[in-house]
Amino acid sequence: MHAPKHIAIVGGGTAGWMTANLLRHRWARLGVDVTLIESADIGTIGVGEGSTPFLRHFFRTLGIAERDWMPACDATYKAGIRFPGWSEVAGYESYVHPFFNEADRELGNQFFTNACLRRRGQAADANPQDFFLAAELARQRRAPHGPGMDYAYHFDAGRLGAFLRTHAIGLGVRHVVDTVARVEQHENGDIAAVHLKTGARVAADVFVDCSGFKGLLITETLGEPFHAYRDNLFNDRAIAMPTPLLDGEDIPPETVSTALRHGWAWRIPLTTRYGNGYVYSADFVSDDAAERELREHLGPAAEGVEARRLRMRVGRVKQHWRQNCVAVGLSQGFIEPLEATALMLIQLSVERFIADLESDGFGRARQAAYNERVNAMFEGVRDYVVAHYQLNTRRDTDYWRANRANRKISDRLASLLEVWDRGGDFEAELERHGAGLMYLRPSWYCLLAGMGRFPAELRAAPQAITASQARDRLKQLARAFGSHRGHLTA
Ligand SMILES: Cc1cc2nc3c(=O)[nH]c(=O)nc-3n(C[C@H](O)[C@H](O)[C@H](O)COP(=O)(O)OP(=O)(O)OC[C@H]3O[C@@H](n4cnc5c(N)ncnc54)[C@H](O)[C@@H]3O)c2cc1C
């Protein structure tokens, strides 16, 4: 087996440092050198503060304990995401997409039963916020931490980058602060070296493009085409604005994603502040009007706070691994941050790259299969995110009406919605699409039921359990969990 001798990573954002850690951790024993080049003149995107539970696996792989990284990154626990304002259906104006826990087994099954009853026109309570432990822990500001619990994190993006940088350098990653000014290619199109502003030349066998939205290597150098998701996902702008967390204020262990007039606003609690932002579409609202709306939404906490305006390139490159270059992070693609999936896609892309290179004896035979797999992951996440917009029932703006009316969705998503709506065999439909969905059965039920996607006319029927009985049971279960703030400061 011939491992690459030298891998050069261009970019020192979260993607660059996650990649550097994973590659060096895995291949240091094979003598693989890793160099990371980042520009002091070009900043990182500076957002990206929520994760999925996959990030736990990332830190476990590297052998980094929560007590070592969480305080250094102002990190908090995340039990799930709450979605107020996406639906106008009575009783379903807000719902939760929880991370699922062992303790959810009993009530979770009763939720699935009720959702199916209601889907078929029988009056049963089926808002996930009444049935899942994560929702109760968030209401009570308790830490979703303990045996059998699944959870994710919130963190300060800048601090996480700094932490990962220190760790990677400790693993032996070479860190170069300089700007790539020119890229040198071999005759066969492979990248031979990057030339830096100070005159240095860095040659390598494999290059990883972590240069952000512009895709310095994959797009600007190799010319890989970009497959935009514009037909499916309208949002292309964001405004970020932090607000203070008051001293002693309880810390909610959840992200809140509130629908506004032309998009949605995130609220991410850290131990020191809230991260907030508005994700919207420039086709429907101006940047100034969006900023005004966000300030209004945040209230007095936003007074005097500077806003950061960002543009988003939503979609993915067609081939993430081309020639001797693999693109990771914003350079490979981005799905708007509604389900906070970008770091998960970074991690899964790098893990698959490692597995495929190793299984092929460090050749390139698996390049096509790799690209197919990564594209399938992107499309799986995209469909789940698009479903939120399809299911919205807001009537206040053209933005929400256009999202609901948009028929340019994948055949897979169209089929899932059709089977759900006609009361067909949804379980079989989920199974038919298998792992390609990325999101599993409970997530689809929570989204469809949580938005109140049910027939308007309902017949009375015996149900598995009422919402108030379920809530009483959740309160009992939640007693075993300590306060979120207490857990973070213990
Ligand atoms: C509004 C918004 C909200 C988001 N929310 C989430 C979230 O909740 N959860 C989540 O997982 N993700 C989220 N993301 C995505 C997340 O921010 C990114 O996936 C993540 O930060 C990785 O970015 P990156 O490292 O690819 O790029 P960047 O952070 O842009 O880093 C690019 C790096 O490349 C370097 N570079 C560029 N050009 C050169 C050059 N010529 N020479 C040398 N170096 C160069 C820069 O110096 C920089 O270090 C969000 C993104 C946006 C836009």
Side-chain angles (χ1 to χ4, degrees):
M1 190 155 80
H2 298 290
K5 282 196 174 56
H6 185 197
I7 300 176
I9 299 169
V10 176
T14 316
W17 288 114
M18 283 179 77
T19 305
N21 273 287
L22 288 172
L23 292 180
R24 181 70 188 168
H25 172 82
R26 180 76 189 179
W27 288 338
R29 69 194 157 84
L30 303 178
V32 179
D33 289 330
V34 178
T35 299
L36 185 144
I37 304 153
E38 71 173 313
S39 167
D41 307 331
I42 305 164
T44 61
I45 188 93
V47 283
E49 307 202 317
S51 85
T52 69
F54 278 86
L55 201 63
R56 292 176 69 192
H57 178 65
F58 171 79
F59 283 109
R60 260 203 307 265
T61 301
L62 297 178
I64 301 172
E66 287 182 349
R67 65 175 175 280
D68 293 330
W69 79 268
M70 286 184 71
C73 301
D74 300 342
T76 65
Y77 292 108
K78 173 177 174 183
I81 308 176
R82 188 151 54 87
F83 293 88
W86 288 72
S87 164
E88 295 184 353
V89 177
Y92 294 82
E93 297 89 348
S94 176
Y95 76 98
V96 160
H97 182 195
F99 300 129
F100 303 98
N101 303 298
E102 293 280 326
D104 287 323
R105 232 171 256 281
E106 174 204 334
L107 285 179
N109 279 331
Q110 290 169 333
F111 162 74
F112 296 134
T113 304
N114 278 6
C116 284
L117 286 170
R118 193 159 178 133
R119 194 158 69 82
R120 295 188 168 125
Q122 301 188 328
D125 298 332
N127 188 327
Q129 72 183 3
D130 299 321
F131 292 86
F132 289 93
L133 181 57
E136 186 61 30
L137 295 178
R139 278 191 287 271
Q140 295 193 24
R141 312 290 201 246
R142 292 182 190 249
H145 197 262
M149 296 297 291
D150 203 6
Y151 55 83
Y153 307 104
H154 307 114
F155 42 81
D156 180 291
R159 286 176 184 264
L160 180 67
F163 181 90
L164 293 177
R165 178 174 63 220
T166 304
H167 191 79
I169 291 168
L171 290 177
V173 171
R174 196 173 139 237
H175 183 205
V176 176
V177 181
D178 206 335
T179 302
V180 173
R182 184 167 73 81
V183 181
E184 177 189 332
Q185 287 175 267
H186 291 297
E187 256 177 30
N188 70 357
D190 276 3
I191 296 173
V194 289
H195 293 258
L196 309 181
K197 219 163 109 181
T198 52
R201 174 180 182 271
V202 179
D205 315 301
V206 172
F207 287 82
V208 187
D209 186 349
C210 294
S211 65
F213 279 130
K214 70 166 165 270
L216 178 67
L217 305 181
I218 196 82
T219 303
E220 291 187 0
T221 305
L222 297 176
E224 180 58 32
F226 191 76
H227 174 61
Y229 288 159
R230 217 181 148 61
D231 281 353
N232 308 119
L233 291 169
F234 299 163
N235 294 339
D236 55 359
R237 301 285 167 95
I239 297 179
M241 211 186 286
T243 54
L245 182 81
L246 303 177
D247 245 2
E249 183 185 341
D250 277 342
I251 303 174
E254 65 176 357
T255 300
V256 182
S257 297
T258 308
L260 300 183
R261 284 171 56 75
H262 304 98
W264 59 276
W266 77 80
R267 178 177 169 90
I268 288 184
L270 309 185
T271 55
T272 45
R273 63 168 168 86
Y274 284 103
N276 310 283
Y278 188 9
V279 176
Y280 58 96
S281 164
D283 286 348
F284 291 86
V285 65
S286 70
D287 295 337
D288 289 345
E291 184 174 328
R292 275 197 303 278
E293 198 187 347
L294 178 60
R295 287 188 183 280
E296 205 174 293
H297 170 67
L298 295 174
E303 270 167 33
V305 177
E306 203 179 314
R308 259 185 2 104
R309 295 181 180 186
L310 300 159
R311 282 168 188 249
M312 305 188 299
R313 183 180 73 149
V314 176
R316 58 162 176 79
V317 289
K318 291 197 171 157
Q319 299 179 83
H320 308 254
W321 179 5
R322 175 171 170 162
Q323 305 282 147
N324 62 339
C325 171
V326 61
V328 176
L330 298 174
S331 64
Q332 75 181 131
F334 181 56
I335 295 161
E336 64 136 285
L338 187 59
E339 288 282 343
T341 46
L343 267 53
M344 174 183 85
L345 290 169
I346 290 170
Q347 184 184 340
L348 294 176
S349 297
V350 178
E351 286 172 354
R352 178 121 303 272
F353 181 67
I354 289 172
D356 281 1
L357 261 190
E358 285 183 1
S359 73
D360 180 38
F362 289 99
R364 289 195 204 166
R366 296 182 61 85
Q367 206 158 345
Y370 173 87
N371 287 323
E372 213 172 286
R373 280 290 283 275
V374 178
N375 285 342
M377 289 189 318
F378 268 77
E379 255 83 285
V381 171
R382 179 203 60 189
D383 279 359
Y384 190 70
V385 171
V386 170
H388 293 69
Y389 292 96
Q390 285 282 304
L391 295 169
N392 95 80
T393 50
R394 288 178 71 109
R395 286 166 298 176
D396 56 340
T397 57
D398 285 348
Y399 171 86
W400 290 107
R401 283 188 289 268
N403 266 297
R404 189 159 62 242
N406 184 17
R407 294 280 68 88
K408 289 183 183 158
I409 59 174
S410 72
D411 292 346
R412 172 173 60 192
L413 179 56
S415 175
L416 281 162
L417 297 179
E418 189 272 325
V419 173
W420 175 273
D421 287 344
R422 80 169 138 81
D425 189 345
F426 194 63
E427 302 287 325
E429 179 65 10
L430 288 171
E431 217 160 282
R432 187 165 80 81
H433 299 294
L437 286 177
M438 290 297 282
Y439 283 86
L440 304 176
R441 171 179 181 253
S443 294
W444 282 99
Y445 269 90
C446 283
L447 174 56
L448 285 148
M451 290 276 197
R453 181 82 167 200
F454 299 120
E457 298 293 317
L458 297 171
R459 309 182 296 279
Q463 53 181 319
I465 189 172
T466 66
S468 81
Q469 287 167 329
R471 283 260 190 137
D472 288 345
R473 178 79 187 111
L474 287 181
K475 283 182 191 141
Q476 278 170 6
L477 290 171
R479 281 193 204 122
F481 296 82
S483 101
H484 189 203
R485 183 180 273 281
H487 195 88
L488 292 168
T489 50

